[in-house]
Amino acid sequence: MLPLPALLALTTTVFLGCLTEVLPAGLLLGMSEELGVSPSATGQLVTVYAITTALTAVPLTGATLRIPRKRLLLALIAGFLVTNLVIAVSSSYPVILAARVVSGALTGVMWSLVAGYAMRLAPPGLTGRALAVAMSGTPIGFALGVPAGTALGELADWRWAFAAMALITVPLLVWVLAAVPAVPADPAGPTRPLAAARLPGMRPVLATVALFSLGHNVAYTYVGPVLAGLDAESLLGAVLLVFGCAAVGGMAAVGSALDSRPRAVLLSCTAVTAAAVVLLGIGDGVHGLVLVAAGLWGLGFGGAPTAFQAVTALLAGPTADAAQSLTIAAWNGAVAGGALLGGLLLPLGTGLLPWCAALVILSPLLFSRRVVLSAPGDRCRTRR
């Protein structure tokens, strides 16, 4: 039986990390106006965050492997409280940028920690389900958190969205203290995450992670300007809500199929996401097509993060905790690259973004064919 109170506390932590990372995408126009910077500059708040996560995930995960897991988890949550509160009260773009750098470093450790923590709490044979429960905070963040934060920013002010995230951490700290069992620190040395990159099949998976995330974030970071270019700016809240709700459905579908057909899951996530972004580009702002595209996009994207982490765990075996930092680094490096590439393309026209995004999203299909994954509990094997 799964330890649901503990796993749901981890789910909430993932929800908080996801929302902290991507919320500026939903508040981009309001933040740009009040801070006196361009939408591209505001989008770089996502870029800098993701670059920090990518650069620090491996070294900080390695450096913290010997810290008891629960103590580290509490410290990370407290860090989110401080950084989101700083953003909520500051009117200085450089100060907000610095707070995003700190948050990005916290997130890199958090993603690696939570994945390993969830699997260590689960009884034998249920580690995949435990991971799915813990990581469901990501699609829930897209389904509920981002639309709610965007709506709050539109009704009141974008600062209230960050203040709300800071407030979430207070009951979460109490919940973790009460419900999450302590687990011992990993005795591995600080070089262990890098050693995991040499495992058979790991490099194609990391390439798949990076290219999928890059393409997704080219479009998602600037979804507000893309919709404005389609004369569908009024649909921003609805698009984010439909995307998020569909992402929850995608997460559920992955949870039921990942154990038996992990390779098919990765291919499906890639194909559906690319098709959805193309539909957004050719929909010409027709409201029905825009919402259908948002639903397909969420469905394809929803299960991808969990699928990537589960595949990483299968490949890494006993080194799964450390190997997760490589997946996180690849994913968030591509988040930064997507936000940066989208910002460079934005002056050329918002209509260009969906097509570029789809092209990049499809490119992992060239890599994923090299990996043949076995059932849970067995090692993955690479086709020679």
Side-chain angles (χ1 to χ4, degrees):
M1 184 175 179
L2 290 176
L4 285 179
L7 290 175
L8 291 176
L10 297 180
T11 301
T12 307
T13 303
V14 171
F15 170 87
L16 178 64
C18 170
L19 189 55
T20 298
E21 181 169 358
V22 302
L23 186 58
L27 302 172
L28 189 144
L29 299 179
M31 292 182 71
S32 299
E33 182 178 355
E34 184 169 338
L35 295 174
V37 298
S38 68
S40 293
T42 304
Q44 301 318 306
L45 292 175
V46 178
T47 305
V48 170
Y49 189 110
I51 288 175
T52 305
T53 299
L55 292 177
T56 60
V58 173
L60 289 183
T61 296
T64 56
L65 283 174
R66 299 182 185 228
I67 299 176
R69 304 291 87 184
K70 185 171 182 177
R71 184 187 306 170
L72 181 58
L73 179 62
L74 290 168
L76 294 173
I77 295 171
F80 284 126
L81 167 62
V82 174
T83 55
N84 282 321
L85 190 59
V86 167
I87 294 173
V89 301
S90 177
S91 298
S92 169
Y93 180 83
V95 171
I96 291 174
L97 190 63
R100 294 288 291 176
V101 169
V102 176
S103 290
L106 297 173
T107 300
V109 180
M110 183 274 293
W111 288 118
S112 302
L113 171 67
V114 168
Y117 211 139
M119 290 187 288
R120 293 173 73 178
L121 290 178
L126 295 178
T127 56
R129 294 184 185 180
L131 179 62
V133 171
M135 301 311 296
S136 65
T138 297
I140 292 173
F142 282 110
L144 301 178
V146 175
T150 302
L152 182 59
E154 292 174 349
L155 293 174
D157 186 84
W158 61 266
R159 300 181 186 280
W160 284 104
F162 286 96
M165 287 195 294
L167 292 175
I168 289 173
T169 62
V170 177
L172 178 57
L173 286 169
V174 177
W175 189 358
V176 170
L177 281 169
V180 178
V183 297
D186 192 324
T191 60
R192 190 175 174 187
L194 295 177
R198 296 192 291 270
L199 292 171
M202 185 64 71
R203 291 178 183 176
V205 169
L206 293 176
T208 302
V209 171
L211 291 168
F212 180 94
S213 179
L214 179 68
H216 164 76
N217 284 284
V218 164
Y220 188 83
T221 303
Y222 299 98
V223 66
V226 168
L227 291 176
L230 294 171
D231 292 326
E233 183 178 353
S234 62
L235 288 181
L236 176 59
V239 164
L240 293 175
L241 179 60
V242 170
F243 174 92
C245 291
V248 175
M251 178 75 173
V254 163
S256 62
L258 187 59
D259 285 348
S260 59
R261 305 190 67 185
R263 180 173 176 267
V265 168
L266 294 183
L267 293 173
S268 298
C269 288
T270 299
V272 173
T273 302
V277 177
V278 168
L279 179 60
L280 180 66
I282 66 176
D284 199 28
V286 176
H287 287 194
L289 290 178
V290 169
L291 294 177
V292 169
L296 287 175
W297 192 356
L299 188 65
F301 176 81
T306 299
F308 289 136
Q309 289 192 294
V311 168
T312 299
L314 288 172
L315 285 168
T319 63
D321 286 7
Q324 295 294 346
S325 66
L326 300 174
T327 302
I328 300 309
W331 180 275
N332 284 278
V335 171
L340 179 60
L341 179 59
L344 294 174
L345 293 173
L346 194 59
L348 302 178
T350 57
L352 187 62
L353 295 183
W355 295 101
C356 291
L359 179 63
V360 176
I361 289 169
L362 283 174
S363 59
L365 294 177
L366 301 175
F367 293 91
S368 60
R369 293 184 61 186
R370 295 177 56 192
V371 180
V372 181
L373 299 170
S374 59
D378 298 329
R379 288 292 302 274
C380 295
R381 57 190 185 273
T382 304
R383 184 176 285 162
R384 300 289 183 181

